[in-house]
Amino acid sequence: MQIAHIALWTTRLEQMRSFYVTYFGGESSEKYVNPGKGFESYFIRFGHSAALEIMSRTDITSPATKECTGFCHVAFNAGTVEAVHGLTRRLRKDGFRVFSEPRTTGDGFFESVIGDPDGNRVEIVA
């Protein structure tokens, strides 16, 4: 078994698409639109790994206001410690929140944690 894709609801569909394409090298599908359901989505593919489906629907407008049970974050492997530092600096400079500075974690990963346009946590690991 492999994870095929992970999906996120958003009210900022185009911003989220741009974020994952610009900073994480994703390749976006064409927009899917279902006017009858007020639904729009993109699939963002990252090489041969799982895809990210970003979705909006007219009746889903409330963001999560705090961490809760359920999926916590998505992690992208930047490949090197230097790449983690570089991407973290770039995201900070571009106005994105850094939840956790680059560091070696207790379980041995080197990572930083940033927020996407909706504040979802994204780990950048090496």
Side-chain angles (χ1 to χ4, degrees):
M1 295 293 248
Q2 292 181 331
I3 294 174
H5 73 271
I6 297 166
L8 290 175
W9 288 116
T10 184
T11 59
R12 301 176 180 137
L13 191 63
E14 299 303 327
Q15 281 180 282
M16 291 285 273
R17 176 181 175 264
S18 178
F19 176 81
Y20 286 101
V21 167
T22 300
Y23 297 102
F24 296 95
E27 293 185 21
S28 178
S29 68
E30 295 294 319
K31 183 189 285 186
Y32 169 75
V33 178
N34 183 329
K37 293 186 177 184
F39 177 85
E40 298 181 344
S41 71
Y42 290 104
F43 274 90
I44 312 294
R45 302 205 181 279
F46 305 91
H48 297 292
S49 64
L52 179 63
E53 182 181 13
I54 51 173
M55 311 175 302
S56 68
R57 200 171 68 200
T58 53
D59 64 328
I60 298 177
T61 59
S62 299
T65 57
K66 62 181 180 175
E67 287 191 273
C68 57
T69 59
F71 289 105
C72 177
H73 64 263
V74 61
F76 289 90
N77 190 332
T80 67
V81 168
E82 294 79 18
V84 173
H85 280 290
L87 185 51
T88 304
R89 279 192 302 271
R90 181 178 174 203
L91 287 158
R92 177 185 292 109
K93 181 177 135 300
D94 290 349
F96 294 98
R97 181 174 177 190
V98 176
F99 287 103
S100 175
E101 295 295 331
R103 65 187 177 95
T104 300
T105 63
D107 54 0
F109 285 96
F110 189 83
E111 68 180 41
S112 67
V113 181
I114 57 94
D116 73 9
D118 280 347
N120 298 301
R121 291 172 187 260
V122 179
E123 284 186 0
I124 307 166
V125 303

